[in-house]
Amino acid sequence: MPSTASAKKAGKKIIGYPEEIVPVVSVTDWVQDHTSNPKQRLVDYLTSLFPVFQWISRYNFGWLTGDVIAGLTVGMVVVPQGMSYAVIATLPAEYGLYSSFVGVLIYCFFATSKDVSIGPVAVMSLTVAQVIKHVQASHPDQWTGPVIASALAFIAGFIVLGIGLLRLGWLVEFIPAPAVSGFMTGSAINIAAGQVPGLMGITGFDTRASTYKVIINTLKGLPRTKLDAAWGLTGLVALYSIRIFCDYMGRRYPRRARLFFFISVLRNAFVILVLTIAAWLYTRHRKSASGKYPIKILQTVPAGFKHVGQPKVNPELLSALAPELPVATIILLLEHIAISKSFGRLNGYKINPNQELIAIGVTNTIGSCFGAYPATGSFSRSALKSKSGVRTPAAGIITAVVVIVALYGLTPAFFWIPTAGLSAVIIHAVADLVASPSQVYSFWRVSPLEFLIWAAAVLVTIFSSIENGIYTSICASLALLLIRVAHPRGSFLGKVTLTKGSSDSKASESRDVFVPYNKKNVNPHIKVIPPSPGVIVYRFEESYLYPNCSLVNDAIVDYVKENMQRGKDMSNVRPSDRPWNDPGPGRNSGTSEQEENLKKPVLHAVVLDFSQVSHIDTTAVQALIDARTEIEKWADHAVEFHFATILSPWIRRALTAAGFGLGISSSTTPSDLAAVVPYRGGRTSISSEDSSEQDLERGDIKKAGSGSQPGHSGPEFEPLIAEDTPFFHIDLVSAVRAAESGIGRVTSTSD
């Protein structure tokens, strides 16, 4: 209908819809790409939630052998470690066994890593202890430690499960490896320092205070060392002695290396067994009238699952836990993802971070119903599992059987385990989490700034707390990322001709490459040839976004003003006609400055290499328009803008919306694409009079730009890039060639 067509035409005029449409990617294309075949997408999503179905049908006896050996090996370690870590968490020892059982059993059904072992870990246990301390300090005598720990497991697990289901695992990538290593190192030092008093039988101060305070108080308390040290020091020396001996023998007798490896694996269970027998022999007849023993022992560990039930989560407890949830959640997912990625890389398979978060979330959510406290991936047990020859995640079932046997059949023997021996096991385990000197030096070699983040995380953890150490490392990493995005490196390029073969050989091949003028990362003795006079080539080294667009534009405009001829002779311009921010030449130097200005080349084209640009936004496009306006005002004539190697169709869409690449004059394109406050009228630009004569991006130059794509005229060939965007080029060489082809056609508006 005529009225509909008129309304449509009026609407297009109001929004500034272009009369000539250049084919670009549309929102419809994006929606179609992301909503095609929704039924199959849903099926793929649901099946991805249970990776076990991808390998269980191919399970065989060859895999079973490796899984049984690995499962039994990890089980021998997780039982003493689980009880030890429960002590760190200020919980009864049986809660460590609950977490160990649920972790290894549930995880295998949702895992994408065969090597990772889930269960109690030192850092998470220390965090649980801090959470319990915080909640009980603000709400005394209201909830017991196990109730708080199980509620924390349920809530944190549910949060991580939600992150995984929503496929937000990419958020973990914002925390780099040095930050993770930093707080892990600081936490390991913190835990080891806190266990030394238990190792020596020293009491009388808070072992969960800041690390430096614990170290000072431990040194002050050495005269109060008790008999527990006989068990603790003996156990620690025995653990390291067995490990060092087995490592040495494995290197000396490579054919027996696997035997010595399994002997070394059993050192935790062996040392705890010997110390337990020694404690039983010494303390069984030395119970005092008050019921105390000469050394501190574990005492009663209830058999079986005594605390199965719904976790007690009410609004008041949730409110009390809220301040501690971020750090607990971060540790839960961060440590696990770092470990699973590490072992996937070492053993040649790829993990799915989102699915791993789902596995951790389900494990902790279900575990809270068994009375378990938060569990995540253990580096030491995962390394042990990998070295034992594990073949599939099903090894976790074997480990769960070992934990069940210990929980139902060995608890009477656990009564006599000396707590100093458990401290020795903890110190021995967490010492491996401390970054080695070579690893720290590699951080320095690769990125000194990230080394500083690592050092800050360690120092803050030692002198403050693990929570503050995590927040420091994350905030410093994000700040560094923002600084790098906001202060990108870019370079003006010159040309170098590379020749393959001897210089006098007829078969030699040559090609042109563009390198920075400053010759960084190239041979400093080579000669870099600048582009033809009047052509500038600039390479972006980051995405072109709102934090960095001003700096990039300033660099280009400043370079133009410093190296290119100004179009107007300012010595003949009256002071009253000059812009307020342009003082112009001095009284006696106007002629000489104009002579120097005339020696500079006339600017013809700016070539922008977008090969490193993966994203562009509205603010950056507006900044590019402003840069073009300022450059053309300086040159006093229209300037071509060529773009090389545009990676994304959305970048092409954004640039064409601003009139770039189309071969049309800037006087016919909008000067305010993204004005915060619309400015209606009054803005001056390059003279638009007789634009058909002054339009340098039309006619024969447009043909030259499109001619840089050879073979488009024949019916059997098609151009690589659409001909309606002649100033978009497939590579930098063709862009520079097209820009140089128009030199000599520039006519200043002042002529």
Side-chain angles (χ1 to χ4, degrees):
M1 297 175 63
S3 58
T4 305
S6 300
K8 190 174 182 180
K9 184 177 180 180
K12 288 184 177 181
K13 186 175 182 180
I14 292 173
I15 66 173
Y17 194 82
E19 295 181 3
E20 296 183 7
I21 303 299
V22 176
V24 293
V25 66
S26 66
V27 176
T28 303
D29 297 330
W30 185 88
V31 172
Q32 290 176 350
D33 288 342
H34 289 78
T35 58
S36 60
N37 200 353
K39 183 181 293 186
Q40 185 60 43
R41 285 175 178 266
L42 179 60
V43 171
D44 293 342
Y45 175 78
L46 294 176
T47 55
S48 69
L49 298 179
F50 301 94
V52 63
F53 294 122
Q54 298 177 12
W55 54 266
I56 193 66
S57 60
R58 295 178 287 110
Y59 202 83
N60 54 69
F61 285 103
W63 290 358
L64 179 63
T65 303
D67 286 345
V68 169
I69 294 174
L72 291 174
T73 303
V74 174
M76 295 289 187
V77 175
V78 75
V79 171
Q81 277 193 358
M83 293 189 293
S84 302
Y85 291 150
V87 173
I88 295 180
T90 63
L91 297 171
E94 64 267 21
Y95 286 90
L97 297 178
Y98 300 159
S99 295
S100 301
F101 168 76
V102 177
V104 295
L105 180 63
I106 302 298
Y107 176 72
C108 68
F109 296 103
F110 299 90
T112 59
S113 171
K114 68 180 180 65
D115 299 294
V116 175
S117 177
I118 301 297
V121 296
V123 179
M124 192 72 238
S125 298
L126 185 59
T127 303
V128 170
Q130 298 290 354
V131 172
I132 292 173
K133 180 181 177 181
H134 168 80
V135 173
Q136 290 183 337
S138 58
H139 300 78
D141 303 324
Q142 192 163 355
W143 301 291
T144 62
V147 170
I148 297 171
S150 295
L152 180 64
F154 177 80
I155 299 170
F158 191 79
I159 293 172
V160 175
L161 175 61
I163 294 173
L165 290 173
L166 295 175
R167 295 298 191 254
L168 299 177
W170 53 268
L171 292 172
V172 183
E173 307 298 337
F174 281 97
I175 307 176
V180 177
S181 175
F183 90 78
M184 290 290 287
T185 296
S187 301
I189 296 172
N190 184 303
I191 294 166
Q195 291 302 308
V196 171
L199 187 81
M200 306 293 290
I202 303 171
T203 57
F205 60 90
D206 183 11
T207 59
R208 288 171 179 80
S210 298
T211 307
Y212 76 98
K213 292 181 180 179
V214 174
I215 294 174
I216 292 172
N217 291 328
T218 301
L219 295 175
K220 289 181 178 179
L222 285 178
R224 304 195 304 272
T225 299
K226 297 180 181 178
L227 190 60
D228 299 73
W231 275 260
L233 291 177
T234 301
L236 187 61
V237 171
L239 287 169
Y240 276 105
S241 298
I242 295 173
R243 175 178 172 177
I244 294 171
F245 172 78
C246 291
D247 289 346
Y248 170 76
M249 296 300 288
R251 289 192 301 269
R252 184 167 183 178
Y253 302 101
R255 297 180 63 182
R256 303 288 183 181
R258 191 162 180 81
L259 172 62
F260 288 112
F261 164 74
F262 283 109
I263 293 175
S264 178
V265 163
L266 297 175
R267 65 184 182 275
N268 283 301
F270 173 75
V271 168
I272 289 295
L273 177 62
V274 171
L275 294 180
T276 301
I277 294 174
W280 174 73
L281 292 173
Y282 180 76
T283 61
R284 57 178 176 157
H285 299 307
R286 289 180 171 83
K287 185 177 181 181
S288 65
S290 60
K292 294 184 178 180
Y293 291 92
I295 62 172
K296 191 175 180 181
I297 57 177
L298 204 56
Q299 299 192 36
T300 303
V301 177
F305 293 98
K306 300 295 184 183
H307 307 283
V308 176
Q310 180 181 346
K312 299 177 182 178
V313 181
N314 53 56
E316 191 175 0
L317 178 56
L318 180 60
S319 176
L321 286 172
E324 306 297 323
L325 280 176
V327 66
T329 304
I330 289 171
I331 293 176
L332 201 64
L333 57 88
L334 189 60
E335 190 172 359
H336 177 78
I337 293 298
I339 292 171
S340 58
K341 280 188 174 182
S342 175
F343 283 98
R345 183 174 62 252
L346 290 175
N347 295 309
Y349 61 86
K350 182 180 179 181
I351 64 110
N352 183 342
N354 290 307
Q355 183 59 32
E356 288 298 312
L357 294 181
I358 292 173
I360 285 291
V362 172
T363 298
N364 283 279
T365 304
I366 295 177
S368 63
C369 300
F370 287 81
Y373 73 93
T376 188
S378 166
F379 182 82
S380 60
R381 295 195 298 273
S382 298
L384 184 63
K385 191 176 179 183
S386 178
K387 292 178 181 177
S388 299
V390 65
R391 303 301 298 274
T392 71
I397 299 175
I398 308 299
T399 303
V401 172
V402 175
V403 176
I404 281 290
V405 170
L407 192 56
Y408 279 90
L410 300 179
T411 49
F414 294 160
F415 183 96
W416 303 101
I417 294 178
T419 56
L422 295 179
S423 295
V425 170
I426 294 170
I427 294 172
H428 182 65
V430 301
D432 292 334
L433 299 179
V434 177
S436 64
S438 60
Q439 182 182 356
V440 176
Y441 180 59
S442 68
F443 292 152
W444 172 262
R445 290 187 63 194
V446 174
S447 175
L449 289 176
E450 290 189 304
F451 166 78
L452 294 179
I453 292 176
W454 177 90
V458 173
L459 293 175
V460 172
T461 303
I462 291 175
F463 289 96
S464 180
S465 65
I466 290 179
E467 179 180 1
N468 291 336
I470 292 174
Y471 290 149
T472 298
S473 61
I474 292 176
C475 291
S477 301
L478 292 178
L480 179 59
L481 176 63
L482 291 176
I483 290 172
R484 286 172 171 170
V485 171
H487 293 80
R489 289 185 295 270
S491 52
F492 293 94
L493 307 180
K495 184 170 63 176
V496 174
T497 301
L498 303 181
T499 303
K500 182 179 180 181
S502 59
S503 58
D504 56 351
S505 173
K506 294 182 179 180
S508 63
E509 300 177 2
S510 63
R511 61 187 179 94
D512 294 335
V513 296
F514 288 84
V515 298
Y517 282 135
N518 55 24
K519 300 183 182 179
K520 287 184 179 179
N521 301 322
V522 296
N523 187 344
H525 303 294
I526 66 172
K527 182 180 180 181
V528 179
I529 304 171
S532 299
V535 176
I536 294 174
V537 183
Y538 183 83
R539 173 177 291 158
F540 295 83
E541 295 188 14
E542 275 284 356
S543 287
Y544 192 39
L545 301 169
Y546 68 91
N548 61 35
C549 59
S550 295
L551 290 177
V552 172
N553 287 359
D554 288 345
I556 297 173
V557 172
D558 291 346
Y559 184 87
V560 168
K561 291 183 177 181
E562 183 178 351
N563 297 278
M564 295 294 158
Q565 185 181 124
R566 187 168 191 169
K568 285 185 178 180
D569 182 1
M570 298 304 293
S571 61
N572 297 326
V573 178
R574 293 181 301 176
S576 60
D577 294 335
R578 293 174 186 159
W580 68 273
N581 59 342
D582 184 0
R587 291 180 179 270
N588 302 320
S589 61
T591 304
S592 61
E593 287 190 11
Q594 179 61 14
E595 290 176 355
E596 290 295 325
N597 180 52
L598 292 175
K599 294 179 181 179
K600 298 177 181 178
V602 176
L603 179 61
H604 166 67
V606 176
V607 180
L608 301 178
D609 182 2
F610 267 47
S611 59
Q612 306 296 320
V613 178
S614 58
H615 296 283
I616 195 170
D617 60 20
T618 306
T619 307
V621 173
Q622 178 61 57
L624 193 58
I625 294 174
D626 295 339
R628 177 179 63 183
T629 301
E630 191 169 357
I631 289 172
E632 291 183 343
K633 186 176 181 180
W634 174 269
D636 201 32
H637 59 72
V639 176
E640 296 180 6
F641 276 72
H642 294 259
F643 298 84
T645 322
I646 296 177
L647 301 177
S648 166
W650 292 96
I651 297 178
R652 184 176 183 270
R653 171 190 169 112
L655 292 174
T656 55
F660 289 105
L662 303 177
I664 61 176
S665 172
S666 60
S667 62
T668 64
T669 60
S671 59
D672 281 320
L673 184 71
V676 178
V677 178
Y679 183 52
R680 306 185 186 280
R683 180 167 178 168
T684 59
S685 62
I686 300 301
S687 174
S688 59
E689 298 178 4
D690 198 13
S691 61
S692 62
E693 296 180 7
Q694 299 298 333
D695 185 2
L696 300 181
E697 297 190 5
R698 293 176 62 181
D700 54 350
I701 294 183
K702 180 176 180 179
K703 294 176 183 177
S706 60
S708 63
Q709 303 159 14
H712 70 284
S713 58
E716 69 274 17
F717 296 106
E718 290 290 339
L720 286 173
I721 296 180
E723 292 182 326
D724 47 14
T725 52
F727 287 179
F728 291 160
H729 306 277
I730 194 64
D731 60 12
L732 186 56
V733 173
S734 62
V736 174
R737 186 182 299 123
E740 292 176 341
S741 68
I743 296 177
R745 297 184 174 90
V746 177
T747 303
S748 176
T749 57
S750 61
D751 291 344

